[in-house]
Amino acid sequence: MEQYDLVVIGSGPGGYVAAIRGAQLGYKTALVEKYDTLGGTCTNVGCIPTKAILDSTHHYHDAAHHFAAHGIQVEGLSMDFSRLYERKDKVVLQNTQGLNFLMRKNKVTVIHGTASFVDNSTAQIVRSAQDSLLLEASKFIIATGSKPATVPGVTIDKERIITSTEALSLQKKPDNLVIIGGGVIGAEMASIFNRLGCEVTIIEYADHLLANMDHELGDALKKILVKDGIRILLEQAVYKTENMGNTAKVFFRDRGGKEQELQADYILVAVGRKAFTAGLGLENTDVRLDARGMVVTNEQLQTAVPHIYAIGDVIGGAMLAHKAEEEAIFVVEHMDGQKPKLHYDRIPSVVYTWPEVASVGATEEDLKAKGIAYTIGKFPFSANARARAGMDTQGFVKVLADPKYGEVLGVHVIGARAADLIAQGVLGLEYEITADSMSRVSYAHPTYSEVMKEAHTLASGRPSVNI
């Protein structure tokens, strides 16, 4: 039996941040990870490798379609698919090595093995068939993340019916691909393979792309992706897939109920993720799961066992790496007797297509449903000098503000650098800054950030000087 002040189960963004913060606050901390590398889904098969390939394919797409306008002539342009994936692997390795360094630096004990609770205070760690140990701790944090979800009738076989995990490890470029799901993962995967020259079709059940974001963003992205050659089918209900050997088929019903089918090299399932709690031994504790398999927690993210906390995808909500990180800091500082705050409505969402899409706060749909009055300030990238210089004129910034007091209610961006620009919107919401105040600070010229300035200006009721 080994004893710790804090044991964190799972080393994704929530887990490793919790372990580091715990160690910084003086807790004897152990981090348990069942895989050989730290970082969880995000670092190994999610956020990081996806962004590496998105960046590489973006460069390739620019070289093929936009360099000539800059006077750059490219002859014999080609994509080395193997090299593309090798670079992705190197990026992942750099990040996992960085995590190993951070664990050593902060004196966090890393234990590789599968954790399972024996009771409310003890977990068994199985490192191999012949090797296991027991850990007893004053505090536990469950940070085991999530796994890809699917829909009834669709079995992910990891051969022809795949997820983004398998898509990031393909041995050769497919000729065509059907993606089930038009959310964040579906849109990003579509962008990657479309840029590589694959024929891509997205099948989405909802009537909007990016259905959980402001609908105007999804509508704008749909037009852009269709223009790029991606086929997008909305209001389609997938009910079956079939592995045909060298290809696969997907069967679905259109909005009129008519049965349809498509055949492709691969069917990529991107319909979201579900909490991963299998094998945790929660049945040996008083920790409860809800009907969807999520760990039930209170506002302090404590389970029914007060010294066992849970964070990240395993408790549901927005399944975002940075949401898990914020929860990690919140939980550990709460354990330490501090009074941290966590505002879920101020956590941004980002889609790393090009142009990027980012959002924070209330959408128009949210405000309409609640009967809340609002003003809109909307400014296009096409009217921004820096965007014109960089040939990145697609998209807009939309700011929603309270008409009486001017408080910013939501910020929604589709355009170049949206993933970085949204931080300004987060700041405005976090500190309840008015649209007028957001517009009156100095923004460097020429920069993409000036689109934010002008949208806030319009939302405050003042006219823009740039349109």
Side-chain angles (χ1 to χ4, degrees):
M1 179 81 72
E2 295 185 12
Q3 294 188 330
Y4 290 88
D5 300 320
L6 172 63
V7 170
V8 181
I9 302 173
S11 74
Y16 72 70
V17 169
I20 291 171
R21 188 67 183 124
Q24 289 173 342
L25 291 174
Y27 292 95
K28 182 183 178 184
T29 303
L31 178 63
V32 182
E33 172 54 57
K34 70 176 182 177
Y35 293 114
D36 293 336
T37 57
L38 302 180
T41 294
C42 176
T43 303
N44 291 278
V45 294
C47 322
I48 304 305
T50 302
K51 304 312 165 283
I53 295 181
L54 278 163
D55 281 349
S56 293
T57 56
H58 180 61
H59 292 317
Y60 177 63
H61 186 267
D62 271 357
H65 300 282
H66 301 303
F67 276 15
H70 292 278
I72 304 171
Q73 300 300 322
V74 180
E75 296 182 5
L77 181 69
S78 65
M79 168 61 76
D80 185 331
F81 192 75
S82 297
R83 186 74 175 272
L84 170 73
Y85 276 54
E86 285 173 9
R87 193 191 83 86
K88 176 263 297 182
D89 292 338
K90 288 180 181 178
V91 171
V92 170
L93 179 62
Q94 290 168 349
N95 280 271
T96 56
Q97 288 176 336
L99 292 176
N100 292 336
F101 168 76
L102 288 173
M103 296 307 122
R104 294 193 298 269
K105 177 184 177 182
N106 289 281
K107 297 181 173 56
V108 174
T109 300
V110 176
I111 302 171
H112 289 281
T114 302
S116 178
F117 282 97
V118 175
D119 53 41
N120 285 334
S121 299
T122 312
Q124 181 183 44
I125 315 301
V126 177
R127 295 187 285 198
S128 70
Q130 296 79 32
D131 183 17
S132 66
L133 73 156
L134 293 175
L135 301 183
E136 188 176 68
S138 302
K139 309 284 186 185
F140 285 91
I141 297 177
I142 299 170
T144 48
S146 61
K147 293 291 183 183
T150 187
V151 294
V154 175
T155 300
I156 298 169
D157 61 22
K158 300 184 179 181
E159 294 176 355
R160 291 291 164 181
I161 319 298
I162 64 175
T163 70
S164 58
T165 299
E166 292 76 45
L168 293 171
S169 300
L170 293 176
Q171 297 302 304
K172 66 177 184 177
K173 180 179 75 69
D175 292 325
N176 40 56
L177 179 72
V178 172
I179 300 173
I180 304 173
V184 175
I185 297 173
E188 291 181 357
M189 289 291 116
S191 293
I192 286 172
F193 287 98
N194 172 255
R195 293 169 187 169
L196 291 172
C198 302
E199 181 182 301
V200 179
T201 300
I202 295 175
I203 302 176
E204 167 58 44
Y205 180 77
D207 59 353
H208 289 270
L209 208 62
L210 308 179
N212 292 328
M213 300 180 82
D214 190 281
H215 287 178
E216 197 168 358
L217 296 179
D219 292 344
L221 182 63
K222 178 177 180 288
K223 291 178 182 178
I224 292 167
L225 295 183
V226 168
K227 186 177 179 181
D228 286 341
I230 297 171
R231 185 184 181 194
I232 299 176
L233 305 176
L234 301 177
E235 297 182 86
Q236 312 291 313
V238 171
Y239 64 89
K240 185 174 70 171
T241 55
E242 186 176 343
N243 185 330
M244 307 295 290
N246 293 324
T247 60
K249 282 186 177 182
V250 58
F251 301 84
F252 56 99
R253 297 181 181 90
D254 63 21
R255 68 192 69 183
K258 183 179 179 181
E259 295 194 352
Q260 309 278 350
E261 65 179 67
L262 288 174
Q263 187 166 337
D265 291 338
Y266 296 96
I267 308 298
L268 196 163
V269 182
V271 294
R273 300 180 66 84
K274 58 183 179 181
F276 183 73
T277 58
L280 267 180
L282 297 181
E283 66 276 8
N284 300 321
T285 72
D286 294 319
V287 175
R288 298 196 307 271
L289 301 179
D290 66 15
R292 298 175 299 159
M294 309 284 187
V295 177
V296 177
T297 62
N298 62 17
E299 290 184 356
Q300 284 71 47
L301 303 186
Q302 294 168 296
T303 68
V305 183
H307 64 267
I308 300 179
Y309 295 73
I311 61 174
D313 291 2
V314 81
I315 64 171
M319 292 190 173
L320 303 168
H322 49 282
K323 176 251 195 188
E325 292 175 349
E326 296 302 322
E327 290 174 336
I329 299 295
F330 174 85
V331 161
V332 176
E333 292 186 350
H334 176 266
M335 288 178 181
D336 197 51
Q338 301 180 39
K339 298 186 182 299
K341 295 181 180 179
L342 183 60
H343 301 290
Y344 284 109
D345 61 342
R346 300 168 193 177
I347 294 176
S349 297
V350 177
V351 188
Y352 294 88
T353 50
W354 197 265
E356 294 172 334
V357 184
S359 180
V360 66
T363 66
E364 274 204 75
E365 292 71 35
D366 294 333
L367 297 175
K368 287 176 180 177
K370 296 175 182 177
I372 297 173
Y374 61 94
T375 60
I376 300 176
K378 185 177 174 183
F379 194 85
F381 277 78
S382 59
N384 175 265
R386 182 67 182 87
R388 288 196 293 263
M391 293 179 62
D392 280 316
T393 56
Q394 297 180 109
F396 56 84
V397 171
K398 181 166 76 170
V399 173
L400 307 176
D402 174 68
K404 184 175 182 181
Y405 299 108
E407 180 183 344
V408 176
L409 304 174
V411 179
H412 310 284
V413 187
I414 177 168
R417 321 290 172 84
D420 300 297
L421 294 176
I422 199 61
Q424 294 181 30
V426 175
L427 184 69
L429 266 70
E430 182 65 30
Y431 294 101
E432 299 179 353
I433 304 174
T434 65
D436 183 67
S437 294
M438 288 290 287
S439 72
R440 290 186 184 275
V441 297
S442 180
Y443 291 66
H445 176 76
T447 60
Y448 291 96
S449 66
E450 291 175 287
V451 183
M452 297 286 282
K453 176 183 179 73
E454 300 304 332
H456 281 97
T457 298
L458 293 168
S460 72
R462 292 187 294 113
S464 167
V465 298
N466 284 294
I467 55 173

